[in-house]
Amino acid sequence: MSDKSKFDSIMYITDRPDIVMTGGRGMRLVDDSGREYLDFIQGWAVNCLGHCPELVINALEKQARKLINPSPAYYNAPMVELADLICQNSCFDKVFFANSGAEANEGAIKLARKWGALNRNGAYEIISMDNSFHGRTLATMSLSGKATFQDMYEPKVPGFVKVPFADMQAVKNAAGDKTVAVMLEPVQGEAGVYPADEKFMAELADFCRQNGILLIVDEVQTGYGRTGKLFAYQNYGITPDIMTLGKGMGAGVPLAALVATEKVACFAAGEQGGTYNGNPLMCAVGCAVIKEVSSEAFLTRVNQASDYLREGLEKLSEKYALGCVRGKGLLLALDLNRSIGAQVIKAAMSQGLLLNSPQPDTLRFMPALNVENADIDQMIDVLDGVLEQIK
Ligand SMILES: *Cc1c(COP(=O)(O)O)cnc(C)c1O
């Protein structure tokens, strides 16, 4: 815990280094001593265009001069445009905007329960995956399969059944009359970057369809080009019923969404809302971001950068006898084979490189989607030195 009086008014929730971040540009973050860091965390896969991209600054500035808050009781132009753009680029028809991934997932739980009340005799149970992460509200913590959440803040919200990740038989065994939905991350992020395999996803989609069970994909981390497609479900050739978005969607500003097909979008007046839902300032950013990241050229470049990063990591893995490189697009992990993650990220930071270790034996790489090969080279170089030192 920080004992520096300078930070005493900040409520303790986690250990942070005794520095203040003051600036950022692209792949670089700068602290109050003027020190520059090469940032492969990017706000936890949030800054899909890096720090302070012109496109976001311009959208904020332009919209702020026009209209900041008309009230959620009225439509506004960026809200309407962004909803259209999301629907045009996906298999979905309806969008509800929120402010965080957890809030979008809360909305998904409520929408599934409402749909179950109307169409499935009050079925309300949602099957979710072990080690999944869906947010930090009480219901989304109850939904999450993260081990450390299981005994926290009891009693939990009931109605969630956990099964091992990507295990079709386990889903079948858990499903029953009360089951309204199965919810998962197409690539589990916080768990350590584990992609669901294609066979499982195809079987799951079939099973859900045949049994009148909704398929919900949490794409808060995997959406917006992160996996090399605009949305990760598009890697699998499936059409889910509900999708949630966040993180990369706002490229650094708080913007999230609950997205559904026409037949599932069944909220009646008064059942869902939120003061800032669809606020024009964030939606204006959202419009600029989706136009940028949905282009063929942009996604091609994400896949090239992914191959390049993967190659670099595989070389390190070979050199230091580490484990596999896994993931999709620019959400990649390097298995360290032993619990040296915390040590590695500490040593990397002291050398000006910001890395994340979601599990004690795993490093996760979430660069900006427009990362350049030179930045990848530099990261691999620093990590090479760190591994040399720690092995
Ligand atoms: C980060 C994350 C969330 C929670 O999003 P917040 O904006 O922090 O509430 C939910 N699901 C997944 C898969 C995430 O990675």
Side-chain angles (χ1 to χ4, degrees):
M1 198 187 310
S2 169
D3 53 5
K4 282 269 171 12
S5 58
K6 195 173 156 186
F7 305 115
D8 268 359
S9 306
I10 299 291
M11 190 180 292
Y12 177 79
I13 56 158
T14 188
D15 293 323
R16 294 173 166 126
D18 283 338
I19 52 174
V20 177
M21 294 304 182
T22 54
R25 189 62 62 183
M27 282 294 292
R28 301 291 188 291
L29 191 57
V30 179
D31 73 15
D32 52 351
S33 72
R35 180 141 199 241
E36 203 178 80
Y37 302 86
L38 176 60
D39 186 3
F40 270 72
I41 299 175
Q42 292 288 347
W44 261 255
V46 167
N47 305 330
C48 58
L49 302 171
H51 290 284
C52 301
E54 283 303 316
L55 180 147
V56 170
I57 296 168
N58 291 340
L60 282 172
E61 207 172 299
K62 209 165 136 206
Q63 186 58 41
R65 289 183 193 288
K66 263 193 222 161
L67 180 62
I68 293 177
N69 179 33
S71 140
Y74 307 109
Y75 296 119
N76 68 71
M79 163 207 252
V80 174
E81 186 186 358
L82 181 53
D84 278 345
L85 285 166
I86 291 169
C87 294
Q88 283 158 19
N89 282 287
S90 70
C91 65
F92 301 98
D93 313 297
K94 304 283 178 187
V95 181
F96 170 81
F97 293 108
N99 311 288
S100 69
E103 193 191 352
N105 285 337
E106 282 270 342
I109 296 165
K110 290 196 279 186
L111 186 60
R113 286 187 175 192
K114 175 70 198 292
W115 186 86
L118 289 177
N119 301 288
R120 287 277 322 284
N121 257 332
Y124 62 88
E125 253 173 28
I126 298 178
I127 297 175
S128 62
M129 305 289 142
D130 285 347
N131 302 315
S132 60
F133 178 77
H134 299 293
R136 290 178 175 279
T137 62
L138 194 54
T140 54
M141 284 180 85
S142 307
L143 168 71
S144 295
K146 193 176 160 90
T148 53
F149 282 4
Q150 299 315 304
D151 297 323
M152 236 182 258
Y153 307 129
E154 292 294 313
K156 288 280 192 334
V157 176
F160 304 107
V161 178
K162 316 279 158 54
V163 298
F165 182 59
D167 180 338
M168 196 56 230
Q169 194 54 50
V171 172
K172 285 181 181 165
N173 293 345
D177 289 348
K178 289 200 209 106
T179 309
V180 72
V182 177
M183 181 158 177
L184 82 168
E185 303 154 84
V187 181
Q188 284 196 329
E190 299 310 302
V193 189
Y194 290 94
D197 61 89
E198 275 164 38
K199 181 164 171 277
F200 168 74
M201 283 298 249
E203 283 178 11
L204 177 64
D206 281 349
F207 177 78
C208 287
R209 197 108 317 161
Q210 282 160 16
N211 291 280
I213 293 170
L214 301 176
L215 177 57
I216 308 176
V217 284
D218 176 345
E219 296 236 18
V220 171
Q221 189 159 147
T222 55
Y224 274 75
R226 181 56 57 184
T227 69
K229 297 263 190 200
L230 185 56
F231 303 114
Y233 80 82
Q234 294 167 332
N235 289 297
Y236 296 96
I238 58 166
T239 54
D241 302 289
I242 297 175
M243 168 171 77
T244 55
L245 298 169
K247 295 204 166 102
M249 181 180 187
V253 304
L255 178 63
L258 161 64
V259 189
T261 58
E262 172 109 51
K263 81 165 196 295
V264 175
C266 59
F267 284 135
E271 291 177 346
Q272 177 67 334
T275 301
Y276 296 114
N277 84 82
N279 81 87
L281 199 55
M282 298 312 146
C283 287
V285 173
C287 288
V289 172
I290 194 171
K291 284 176 193 164
E292 178 77 8
V293 307
S294 63
S295 85
E296 206 58 49
F298 188 91
L299 292 170
T300 300
R301 176 56 207 152
V302 170
N303 287 303
Q304 284 167 352
S306 171
D307 291 344
Y308 194 74
L309 175 56
R310 189 183 278 274
E311 258 169 55
L313 294 173
E314 271 162 3
K315 275 186 201 144
L316 287 183
S317 173
E318 211 167 295
K319 183 168 173 188
Y320 296 102
L322 306 173
C324 71
V325 177
R326 32 165 213 275
K328 275 187 195 298
L330 286 173
L331 184 58
L332 295 180
L334 172 61
D335 208 324
L336 295 167
N337 273 352
R338 51 200 186 282
S339 298
I340 54 169
Q343 243 180 306
V344 170
I345 60 169
K346 194 162 170 232
M349 187 165 184
S350 76
Q351 303 200 33
L353 169 65
L354 303 181
L355 290 179
N356 167 250
S357 171
Q359 298 295 329
D361 60 353
T362 306
L363 294 179
R364 176 173 46 171
F365 303 85
M366 309 164 271
L369 299 181
N370 55 3
V371 63
E372 289 175 10
N373 285 2
D375 292 326
I376 294 173
D377 287 340
Q378 191 185 341
M379 184 279 288
I380 294 286
D381 224 45
V382 175
L383 184 54
D384 192 349
V386 166
L387 290 169
E388 181 71 47
Q389 192 188 310
I390 287 175
K391 73 180 176 185

